[in-house]
Amino acid sequence: MIHVCQHPLVQHHLAALRDAATPPQLFRHLISEISQILFYEATRDLKLKPSTVTTPVAECASATLAEVIGLVPVLRAGLGMANALLEALPTASVWHLGLYRDHQTLKPVTYYNKLPANHGLDVAFVLDPMLATGGSANEAIRILKAAGVPRVIFIGVIAAPEGVQALRATHPDVPAFLGAIDSHLNERGYIVPGLGDAGDRQFGTV
Ligand code: PRP
Ligand code: URA
């Protein structure tokens, strides 16, 4: 399932995020705002278990999350998303996954993987603002599945149709929650109109 968020705030923040004049400080803030809204949509189906809490007045039937949740930011650009989502769900564990795109082949190269052997995750959210060719997302999801994570969900800010198609073809069981699907990829594998290089714009390395 591909879900493109229709929330007006996401569209509003996307306009500023795409703007080439937006500086890194504001860019990080906007990534954070958009990611949290996408996360609320992507977590709609998480399982709950019943619990009881004692309020100052009486006992109250309640519910808490029944599943162990992992956030998997794809370095570097997914880092800002992970920070934002930890604010929304501070009990989540974070598994950093370092992938970069080789500039010639556009294929992902893994350089860092910090998943503990006994992770115990029920659901992992792969976080990467850009779904371009889909190579990085597909590789991240492959690694998670190989590590035995039962359920994987992708959250991205801007996608190219090529990336969506690649994700669907390789991991049809993985839902994707996106802020927008743009026109196409250019000859250098950048999303058009997109926002440029999400890692560089977030960390001021343009
Ligand atoms: C960017 C982006 C994704 C990847 C998407 O990372 O953050 O991880 O490209 O492209 P794909 O769908 O074609 O794989 P990049 O390689 O620029 O690394 P960086 O975040 O460290 O700059
Ligand atoms: N990675 C980015 O950061 N931007 C793109 O447009 C494509 C890949």
Side-chain angles (χ1 to χ4, degrees):
M1 191 261 304
I2 302 290
H3 181 93
V4 181
C5 184
Q6 302 302 326
H7 199 294
L9 286 182
V10 167
Q11 302 310 315
H12 178 76
H13 292 323
L14 263 177
L17 190 76
R18 291 178 186 278
D19 189 335
T22 295
Q25 186 181 8
L26 177 57
F27 191 92
R28 288 192 294 271
H29 172 72
L30 294 164
I31 285 281
S32 174
E33 295 292 321
I34 293 169
S35 302
Q36 287 202 352
I37 298 170
L38 295 177
F39 192 50
Y40 296 139
E41 297 201 339
T43 49
R44 238 173 220 290
D45 294 336
L46 291 185
K47 294 189 182 66
L48 292 170
K49 60 181 179 211
S51 66
T52 309
V53 66
T54 307
T55 79
V57 179
E59 288 224 320
C60 173
S62 314
T64 57
L65 289 176
E67 298 179 293
V68 180
I69 312 293
L71 303 176
V72 184
V74 176
L75 308 183
R76 291 172 301 163
L79 280 174
M81 298 178 73
N83 289 342
L85 302 196
L86 269 180
E87 297 283 324
L89 187 61
T91 53
S93 3
V94 180
W95 172 18
H96 295 93
L97 193 53
L99 301 179
Y100 72 85
R101 255 190 353 169
D102 180 278
H103 284 300
Q104 304 298 326
T105 64
L106 298 183
K107 299 278 182 256
V109 180
T110 306
Y111 62 89
Y112 191 77
N113 180 343
K114 199 65 182 165
L115 182 69
N118 299 318
H119 54 77
L121 296 185
D122 294 309
V123 188
F125 291 88
V126 174
L127 312 175
D128 193 331
M130 309 308 276
L131 180 68
T133 64
S136 302
N138 275 345
E139 180 59 8
I141 295 164
R142 187 196 67 73
I143 291 170
L144 285 164
K145 286 182 173 175
V149 179
R151 197 171 153 215
V152 183
I153 297 171
F154 180 83
I155 303 182
V157 175
I158 299 181
E162 294 89 334
V164 171
Q165 206 174 349
L167 182 62
R168 287 272 51 82
T170 311
H171 300 292
D173 55 314
V174 173
F177 290 80
L178 306 168
I181 300 178
D182 278 7
S183 167
H184 62 280
L185 292 177
N186 69 14
E187 62 293 344
R188 291 173 53 226
Y190 276 83
I191 300 173
V192 181
L195 50 71
D197 188 305
D200 284 345
R201 292 202 60 192
Q202 227 171 119
F203 299 113
T205 49
V206 183

PDB file of all heavy atoms in Angstrom, residues 27 76-77 101 106 128-133 136 158 160 182 184-186 188-201, ligand 2:
ATOM      1  N   PHE A  27      15.260  23.863   7.492  1.00  0.00           N
ATOM      2  CA  PHE A  27      15.077  22.592   6.769  1.00  0.00           C
ATOM      3  C   PHE A  27      14.893  21.445   7.781  1.00  0.00           C
ATOM      4  O   PHE A  27      13.989  20.624   7.659  1.00  0.00           O
ATOM      5  CB  PHE A  27      16.288  22.339   5.868  1.00  0.00           C
ATOM      6  CG  PHE A  27      16.105  21.216   4.892  1.00  0.00           C
ATOM      7  CD1 PHE A  27      15.625  21.460   3.610  1.00  0.00           C
ATOM      8  CD2 PHE A  27      16.410  19.904   5.243  1.00  0.00           C
ATOM      9  CE1 PHE A  27      15.458  20.426   2.693  1.00  0.00           C
ATOM     10  CE2 PHE A  27      16.242  18.869   4.341  1.00  0.00           C
ATOM     11  CZ  PHE A  27      15.772  19.130   3.065  1.00  0.00           C
ATOM     12  N   ARG A  76      22.694   9.574   5.818  1.00  0.00           N
ATOM     13  CA  ARG A  76      22.560  10.544   6.871  1.00  0.00           C
ATOM     14  C   ARG A  76      21.148  11.138   6.972  1.00  0.00           C
ATOM     15  O   ARG A  76      20.727  11.586   8.030  1.00  0.00           O
ATOM     16  CB  ARG A  76      23.479  11.763   6.553  1.00  0.00           C
ATOM     17  CG  ARG A  76      24.945  11.550   6.620  1.00  0.00           C
ATOM     18  CD  ARG A  76      25.680  12.768   6.100  1.00  0.00           C
ATOM     19  NE  ARG A  76      25.314  13.062   4.725  1.00  0.00           N
ATOM     20  CZ  ARG A  76      25.553  14.241   4.133  1.00  0.00           C
ATOM     21  NH1 ARG A  76      26.094  15.232   4.813  1.00  0.00           N
ATOM     22  NH2 ARG A  76      25.242  14.430   2.872  1.00  0.00           N
ATOM     23  N   ALA A  77      20.451  11.193   5.837  1.00  0.00           N
ATOM     24  CA  ALA A  77      19.267  12.054   5.765  1.00  0.00           C
ATOM     25  C   ALA A  77      18.130  11.612   6.684  1.00  0.00           C
ATOM     26  O   ALA A  77      17.278  12.415   7.034  1.00  0.00           O
ATOM     27  CB  ALA A  77      18.782  12.148   4.327  1.00  0.00           C
ATOM     28  N   ARG A 101      24.607   6.261  -1.721  1.00  0.00           N
ATOM     29  CA  ARG A 101      24.424   5.914  -3.133  1.00  0.00           C
ATOM     30  C   ARG A 101      25.714   6.148  -3.871  1.00  0.00           C
ATOM     31  O   ARG A 101      26.240   7.257  -3.853  1.00  0.00           O
ATOM     32  CB  ARG A 101      23.370   6.847  -3.742  1.00  0.00           C
ATOM     33  CG  ARG A 101      22.074   6.215  -3.951  1.00  0.00           C
ATOM     34  CD  ARG A 101      21.087   6.978  -4.730  1.00  0.00           C
ATOM     35  NE  ARG A 101      21.307   8.344  -5.138  1.00  0.00           N
ATOM     36  CZ  ARG A 101      20.540   8.968  -5.993  1.00  0.00           C
ATOM     37  NH1 ARG A 101      19.521   8.340  -6.539  1.00  0.00           N
ATOM     38  NH2 ARG A 101      20.754  10.212  -6.327  1.00  0.00           N
ATOM     39  N   LEU A 106      24.599   4.524  -8.871  1.00  0.00           N
ATOM     40  CA  LEU A 106      23.386   4.841  -8.100  1.00  0.00           C
ATOM     41  C   LEU A 106      22.939   3.664  -7.218  1.00  0.00           C
ATOM     42  O   LEU A 106      21.834   3.671  -6.678  1.00  0.00           O
ATOM     43  CB  LEU A 106      22.224   5.291  -9.006  1.00  0.00           C
ATOM     44  CG  LEU A 106      22.448   6.556  -9.819  1.00  0.00           C
ATOM     45  CD1 LEU A 106      21.181   6.920 -10.607  1.00  0.00           C
ATOM     46  CD2 LEU A 106      22.855   7.739  -8.942  1.00  0.00           C
ATOM     47  N   ASP A 128      13.663   7.535   5.640  1.00  0.00           N
ATOM     48  CA  ASP A 128      14.561   8.162   4.669  1.00  0.00           C
ATOM     49  C   ASP A 128      13.732   9.196   3.913  1.00  0.00           C
ATOM     50  O   ASP A 128      12.714   8.834   3.300  1.00  0.00           O
ATOM     51  CB  ASP A 128      15.120   7.111   3.699  1.00  0.00           C
ATOM     52  CG  ASP A 128      16.290   7.652   2.883  1.00  0.00           C
ATOM     53  OD1 ASP A 128      16.336   8.876   2.628  1.00  0.00           O
ATOM     54  OD2 ASP A 128      17.157   6.850   2.490  1.00  0.00           O
ATOM     55  N   PRO A 129      14.122  10.477   3.944  1.00  0.00           N
ATOM     56  CA  PRO A 129      13.282  11.481   3.281  1.00  0.00           C
ATOM     57  C   PRO A 129      13.114  11.250   1.789  1.00  0.00           C
ATOM     58  O   PRO A 129      12.090  11.622   1.236  1.00  0.00           O
ATOM     59  CB  PRO A 129      14.007  12.809   3.529  1.00  0.00           C
ATOM     60  CG  PRO A 129      15.170  12.532   4.384  1.00  0.00           C
ATOM     61  CD  PRO A 129      15.284  11.059   4.610  1.00  0.00           C
ATOM     62  N   MET A 130      14.125  10.647   1.120  1.00  0.00           N
ATOM     63  CA  MET A 130      14.087  10.572  -0.337  1.00  0.00           C
ATOM     64  C   MET A 130      14.003   9.113  -0.821  1.00  0.00           C
ATOM     65  O   MET A 130      14.845   8.275  -0.474  1.00  0.00           O
ATOM     66  CB  MET A 130      15.335  11.212  -0.945  1.00  0.00           C
ATOM     67  CG  MET A 130      15.628  12.617  -0.434  1.00  0.00           C
ATOM     68  SD  MET A 130      14.235  13.738  -0.561  1.00  0.00           S
ATOM     69  CE  MET A 130      14.379  14.302  -2.242  1.00  0.00           C
ATOM     70  N   LEU A 131      12.987   8.831  -1.639  1.00  0.00           N
ATOM     71  CA  LEU A 131      12.864   7.529  -2.300  1.00  0.00           C
ATOM     72  C   LEU A 131      13.069   7.813  -3.785  1.00  0.00           C
ATOM     73  O   LEU A 131      12.137   8.207  -4.486  1.00  0.00           O
ATOM     74  CB  LEU A 131      11.476   6.941  -2.028  1.00  0.00           C
ATOM     75  CG  LEU A 131      11.145   5.583  -2.619  1.00  0.00           C
ATOM     76  CD1 LEU A 131      11.967   4.475  -1.963  1.00  0.00           C
ATOM     77  CD2 LEU A 131       9.656   5.266  -2.443  1.00  0.00           C
ATOM     78  N   ALA A 132      14.307   7.679  -4.263  1.00  0.00           N
ATOM     79  CA  ALA A 132      14.629   8.089  -5.636  1.00  0.00           C
ATOM     80  C   ALA A 132      14.561   6.887  -6.582  1.00  0.00           C
ATOM     81  O   ALA A 132      13.506   6.600  -7.148  1.00  0.00           O
ATOM     82  CB  ALA A 132      15.984   8.774  -5.659  1.00  0.00           C
ATOM     83  N   THR A 133      15.683   6.143  -6.736  1.00  0.00           N
ATOM     84  CA  THR A 133      15.602   4.908  -7.526  1.00  0.00           C
ATOM     85  C   THR A 133      14.938   3.803  -6.706  1.00  0.00           C
ATOM     86  O   THR A 133      14.501   2.795  -7.260  1.00  0.00           O
ATOM     87  CB  THR A 133      17.008   4.398  -7.920  1.00  0.00           C
ATOM     88  OG1 THR A 133      17.722   4.043  -6.722  1.00  0.00           O
ATOM     89  CG2 THR A 133      17.794   5.443  -8.695  1.00  0.00           C
ATOM     90  N   SER A 136      18.161   2.338  -2.076  1.00  0.00           N
ATOM     91  CA  SER A 136      18.506   2.411  -0.646  1.00  0.00           C
ATOM     92  C   SER A 136      17.376   1.843   0.213  1.00  0.00           C
ATOM     93  O   SER A 136      17.630   1.071   1.151  1.00  0.00           O
ATOM     94  CB  SER A 136      18.776   3.863  -0.244  1.00  0.00           C
ATOM     95  OG  SER A 136      19.808   4.407  -1.032  1.00  0.00           O
ATOM     96  N   ILE A 158       9.640  12.656   0.120  1.00  0.00           N
ATOM     97  CA  ILE A 158       9.375  12.823  -1.319  1.00  0.00           C
ATOM     98  C   ILE A 158       9.856  11.581  -2.063  1.00  0.00           C
ATOM     99  O   ILE A 158      10.965  11.080  -1.806  1.00  0.00           O
ATOM    100  CB  ILE A 158      10.092  14.073  -1.880  1.00  0.00           C
ATOM    101  CG1 ILE A 158       9.593  15.341  -1.171  1.00  0.00           C
ATOM    102  CG2 ILE A 158       9.861  14.200  -3.388  1.00  0.00           C
ATOM    103  CD1 ILE A 158      10.230  16.629  -1.677  1.00  0.00           C
ATOM    104  N   ALA A 160      10.080   9.484  -6.033  1.00  0.00           N
ATOM    105  CA  ALA A 160       9.934   9.494  -7.493  1.00  0.00           C
ATOM    106  C   ALA A 160       9.077   8.286  -7.873  1.00  0.00           C
ATOM    107  O   ALA A 160       9.129   7.263  -7.181  1.00  0.00           O
ATOM    108  CB  ALA A 160      11.308   9.373  -8.153  1.00  0.00           C
ATOM    109  N   ASP A 182       6.711  12.854  -6.804  1.00  0.00           N
ATOM    110  CA  ASP A 182       7.050  13.881  -7.788  1.00  0.00           C
ATOM    111  C   ASP A 182       7.009  13.349  -9.227  1.00  0.00           C
ATOM    112  O   ASP A 182       6.533  12.246  -9.478  1.00  0.00           O
ATOM    113  CB  ASP A 182       8.419  14.465  -7.455  1.00  0.00           C
ATOM    114  CG  ASP A 182       8.314  15.539  -6.365  1.00  0.00           C
ATOM    115  OD1 ASP A 182       7.219  15.720  -5.808  1.00  0.00           O
ATOM    116  OD2 ASP A 182       9.326  16.197  -6.081  1.00  0.00           O
ATOM    117  N   HIS A 184       9.633  12.792 -11.824  1.00  0.00           N
ATOM    118  CA  HIS A 184      10.552  11.801 -12.389  1.00  0.00           C
ATOM    119  C   HIS A 184      11.947  11.980 -11.794  1.00  0.00           C
ATOM    120  O   HIS A 184      12.189  12.919 -11.025  1.00  0.00           O
ATOM    121  CB  HIS A 184      10.631  11.931 -13.924  1.00  0.00           C
ATOM    122  CG  HIS A 184      11.171  13.259 -14.378  1.00  0.00           C
ATOM    123  ND1 HIS A 184      10.400  14.411 -14.432  1.00  0.00           N
ATOM    124  CD2 HIS A 184      12.410  13.639 -14.782  1.00  0.00           C
ATOM    125  CE1 HIS A 184      11.131  15.426 -14.860  1.00  0.00           C
ATOM    126  NE2 HIS A 184      12.373  14.992 -15.069  1.00  0.00           N
ATOM    127  N   LEU A 185      12.874  11.097 -12.182  1.00  0.00           N
ATOM    128  CA  LEU A 185      14.287  11.244 -11.819  1.00  0.00           C
ATOM    129  C   LEU A 185      15.023  11.895 -12.978  1.00  0.00           C
ATOM    130  O   LEU A 185      14.731  11.593 -14.145  1.00  0.00           O
ATOM    131  CB  LEU A 185      14.916   9.864 -11.575  1.00  0.00           C
ATOM    132  CG  LEU A 185      14.448   9.079 -10.352  1.00  0.00           C
ATOM    133  CD1 LEU A 185      15.139   7.719 -10.326  1.00  0.00           C
ATOM    134  CD2 LEU A 185      14.725   9.841  -9.073  1.00  0.00           C
ATOM    135  N   ASN A 186      16.018  12.744 -12.649  1.00  0.00           N
ATOM    136  CA  ASN A 186      16.835  13.282 -13.738  1.00  0.00           C
ATOM    137  C   ASN A 186      17.994  12.323 -14.053  1.00  0.00           C
ATOM    138  O   ASN A 186      18.086  11.241 -13.451  1.00  0.00           O
ATOM    139  CB  ASN A 186      17.299  14.724 -13.450  1.00  0.00           C
ATOM    140  CG  ASN A 186      18.315  14.799 -12.320  1.00  0.00           C
ATOM    141  OD1 ASN A 186      18.886  13.788 -11.902  1.00  0.00           O
ATOM    142  ND2 ASN A 186      18.531  15.997 -11.816  1.00  0.00           N
ATOM    143  N   ARG A 188      20.968  12.312 -13.251  1.00  0.00           N
ATOM    144  CA  ARG A 188      21.874  12.046 -12.123  1.00  0.00           C
ATOM    145  C   ARG A 188      21.157  11.341 -10.973  1.00  0.00           C
ATOM    146  O   ARG A 188      21.677  11.225  -9.871  1.00  0.00           O
ATOM    147  CB  ARG A 188      22.496  13.357 -11.626  1.00  0.00           C
ATOM    148  CG  ARG A 188      23.492  13.956 -12.636  1.00  0.00           C
ATOM    149  CD  ARG A 188      23.957  15.332 -12.207  1.00  0.00           C
ATOM    150  NE  ARG A 188      24.471  15.330 -10.841  1.00  0.00           N
ATOM    151  CZ  ARG A 188      24.152  16.245  -9.922  1.00  0.00           C
ATOM    152  NH1 ARG A 188      23.300  17.200 -10.206  1.00  0.00           N
ATOM    153  NH2 ARG A 188      24.677  16.192  -8.728  1.00  0.00           N
ATOM    154  N   GLY A 189      19.924  10.897 -11.228  1.00  0.00           N
ATOM    155  CA  GLY A 189      19.186  10.158 -10.201  1.00  0.00           C
ATOM    156  C   GLY A 189      18.579  11.041  -9.135  1.00  0.00           C
ATOM    157  O   GLY A 189      18.210  10.556  -8.059  1.00  0.00           O
ATOM    158  N   TYR A 190      18.449  12.354  -9.404  1.00  0.00           N
ATOM    159  CA  TYR A 190      17.794  13.257  -8.450  1.00  0.00           C
ATOM    160  C   TYR A 190      16.306  13.362  -8.782  1.00  0.00           C
ATOM    161  O   TYR A 190      15.913  13.343  -9.951  1.00  0.00           O
ATOM    162  CB  TYR A 190      18.440  14.646  -8.468  1.00  0.00           C
ATOM    163  CG  TYR A 190      19.663  14.695  -7.579  1.00  0.00           C
ATOM    164  CD1 TYR A 190      20.894  14.247  -8.042  1.00  0.00           C
ATOM    165  CD2 TYR A 190      19.574  15.136  -6.263  1.00  0.00           C
ATOM    166  CE1 TYR A 190      22.011  14.252  -7.220  1.00  0.00           C
ATOM    167  CE2 TYR A 190      20.682  15.138  -5.424  1.00  0.00           C
ATOM    168  CZ  TYR A 190      21.898  14.697  -5.913  1.00  0.00           C
ATOM    169  OH  TYR A 190      22.994  14.678  -5.091  1.00  0.00           O
ATOM    170  N   ILE A 191      15.512  13.510  -7.722  1.00  0.00           N
ATOM    171  CA  ILE A 191      14.068  13.633  -7.898  1.00  0.00           C
ATOM    172  C   ILE A 191      13.751  15.032  -8.427  1.00  0.00           C
ATOM    173  O   ILE A 191      14.268  16.035  -7.914  1.00  0.00           O
ATOM    174  CB  ILE A 191      13.335  13.373  -6.564  1.00  0.00           C
ATOM    175  CG1 ILE A 191      13.640  11.960  -6.050  1.00  0.00           C
ATOM    176  CG2 ILE A 191      11.836  13.587  -6.729  1.00  0.00           C
ATOM    177  CD1 ILE A 191      13.094  11.659  -4.656  1.00  0.00           C
ATOM    178  N   VAL A 192      12.888  15.094  -9.464  1.00  0.00           N
ATOM    179  CA  VAL A 192      12.452  16.359 -10.076  1.00  0.00           C
ATOM    180  C   VAL A 192      10.957  16.547  -9.798  1.00  0.00           C
ATOM    181  O   VAL A 192      10.173  15.639 -10.083  1.00  0.00           O
ATOM    182  CB  VAL A 192      12.691  16.337 -11.611  1.00  0.00           C
ATOM    183  CG1 VAL A 192      12.263  17.663 -12.240  1.00  0.00           C
ATOM    184  CG2 VAL A 192      14.164  16.026 -11.924  1.00  0.00           C
ATOM    185  N   PRO A 193      10.522  17.676  -9.210  1.00  0.00           N
ATOM    186  CA  PRO A 193      11.348  18.813  -8.785  1.00  0.00           C
ATOM    187  C   PRO A 193      12.092  18.580  -7.474  1.00  0.00           C
ATOM    188  O   PRO A 193      13.100  19.219  -7.234  1.00  0.00           O
ATOM    189  CB  PRO A 193      10.328  19.953  -8.646  1.00  0.00           C
ATOM    190  CG  PRO A 193       9.025  19.272  -8.375  1.00  0.00           C
ATOM    191  CD  PRO A 193       9.064  17.953  -9.088  1.00  0.00           C
ATOM    192  N   GLY A 194      11.596  17.711  -6.598  1.00  0.00           N
ATOM    193  CA  GLY A 194      12.313  17.306  -5.396  1.00  0.00           C
ATOM    194  C   GLY A 194      12.713  18.443  -4.486  1.00  0.00           C
ATOM    195  O   GLY A 194      11.993  19.451  -4.354  1.00  0.00           O
ATOM    196  N   LEU A 195      13.869  18.284  -3.859  1.00  0.00           N
ATOM    197  CA  LEU A 195      14.395  19.341  -2.981  1.00  0.00           C
ATOM    198  C   LEU A 195      15.914  19.383  -2.992  1.00  0.00           C
ATOM    199  O   LEU A 195      16.534  20.050  -2.170  1.00  0.00           O
ATOM    200  CB  LEU A 195      13.880  19.159  -1.535  1.00  0.00           C
ATOM    201  CG  LEU A 195      14.013  17.778  -0.869  1.00  0.00           C
ATOM    202  CD1 LEU A 195      15.433  17.430  -0.527  1.00  0.00           C
ATOM    203  CD2 LEU A 195      13.135  17.716   0.372  1.00  0.00           C
ATOM    204  N   GLY A 196      16.521  18.631  -3.930  1.00  0.00           N
ATOM    205  CA  GLY A 196      17.989  18.568  -3.960  1.00  0.00           C
ATOM    206  C   GLY A 196      18.475  17.410  -3.104  1.00  0.00           C
ATOM    207  O   GLY A 196      17.788  16.396  -2.980  1.00  0.00           O
ATOM    208  N   ASP A 197      19.646  17.575  -2.495  1.00  0.00           N
ATOM    209  CA  ASP A 197      20.235  16.508  -1.678  1.00  0.00           C
ATOM    210  C   ASP A 197      19.803  16.683  -0.224  1.00  0.00           C
ATOM    211  O   ASP A 197      20.208  17.643   0.444  1.00  0.00           O
ATOM    212  CB  ASP A 197      21.763  16.548  -1.795  1.00  0.00           C
ATOM    213  CG  ASP A 197      22.408  15.347  -1.123  1.00  0.00           C
ATOM    214  OD1 ASP A 197      22.132  15.117   0.081  1.00  0.00           O
ATOM    215  OD2 ASP A 197      23.171  14.630  -1.783  1.00  0.00           O
ATOM    216  N   ALA A 198      18.995  15.747   0.243  1.00  0.00           N
ATOM    217  CA  ALA A 198      18.384  15.903   1.576  1.00  0.00           C
ATOM    218  C   ALA A 198      19.431  15.879   2.689  1.00  0.00           C
ATOM    219  O   ALA A 198      19.302  16.607   3.677  1.00  0.00           O
ATOM    220  CB  ALA A 198      17.357  14.802   1.797  1.00  0.00           C
ATOM    221  N   GLY A 199      20.480  15.070   2.550  1.00  0.00           N
ATOM    222  CA  GLY A 199      21.537  15.017   3.568  1.00  0.00           C
ATOM    223  C   GLY A 199      22.303  16.325   3.611  1.00  0.00           C
ATOM    224  O   GLY A 199      22.512  16.920   4.675  1.00  0.00           O
ATOM    225  N   ASP A 200      22.702  16.809   2.460  1.00  0.00           N
ATOM    226  CA  ASP A 200      23.465  18.059   2.384  1.00  0.00           C
ATOM    227  C   ASP A 200      22.649  19.236   2.921  1.00  0.00           C
ATOM    228  O   ASP A 200      23.165  20.090   3.638  1.00  0.00           O
ATOM    229  CB  ASP A 200      23.877  18.348   0.932  1.00  0.00           C
ATOM    230  CG  ASP A 200      25.039  17.475   0.490  1.00  0.00           C
ATOM    231  OD1 ASP A 200      25.700  16.874   1.354  1.00  0.00           O
ATOM    232  OD2 ASP A 200      25.270  17.390  -0.741  1.00  0.00           O
ATOM    233  N   ARG A 201      21.381  19.284   2.576  1.00  0.00           N
ATOM    234  CA  ARG A 201      20.561  20.427   2.985  1.00  0.00           C
ATOM    235  C   ARG A 201      20.269  20.394   4.484  1.00  0.00           C
ATOM    236  O   ARG A 201      20.146  21.423   5.129  1.00  0.00           O
ATOM    237  CB  ARG A 201      19.258  20.448   2.171  1.00  0.00           C
ATOM    238  CG  ARG A 201      19.518  20.755   0.696  1.00  0.00           C
ATOM    239  CD  ARG A 201      18.310  21.299   0.001  1.00  0.00           C
ATOM    240  NE  ARG A 201      17.839  22.517   0.599  1.00  0.00           N
ATOM    241  CZ  ARG A 201      16.660  23.067   0.321  1.00  0.00           C
ATOM    242  NH1 ARG A 201      15.868  22.482  -0.569  1.00  0.00           N
ATOM    243  NH2 ARG A 201      16.279  24.183   0.902  1.00  0.00           N
TER     244      ARG A 201
HETATM  245  N1  URA B   2      18.850  11.636  -2.746  1.00  0.00           N
HETATM  246  C1  URA B   2      18.563  12.931  -2.423  1.00  0.00           C
HETATM  247  O1  URA B   2      18.969  13.419  -1.350  1.00  0.00           O
HETATM  248  N2  URA B   2      17.837  13.653  -3.298  1.00  0.00           N
HETATM  249  C2  URA B   2      17.387  13.143  -4.444  1.00  0.00           C
HETATM  250  O2  URA B   2      16.710  13.866  -5.202  1.00  0.00           O
HETATM  251  C3  URA B   2      17.694  11.815  -4.771  1.00  0.00           C
HETATM  252  C4  URA B   2      18.418  11.083  -3.898  1.00  0.00           C
END
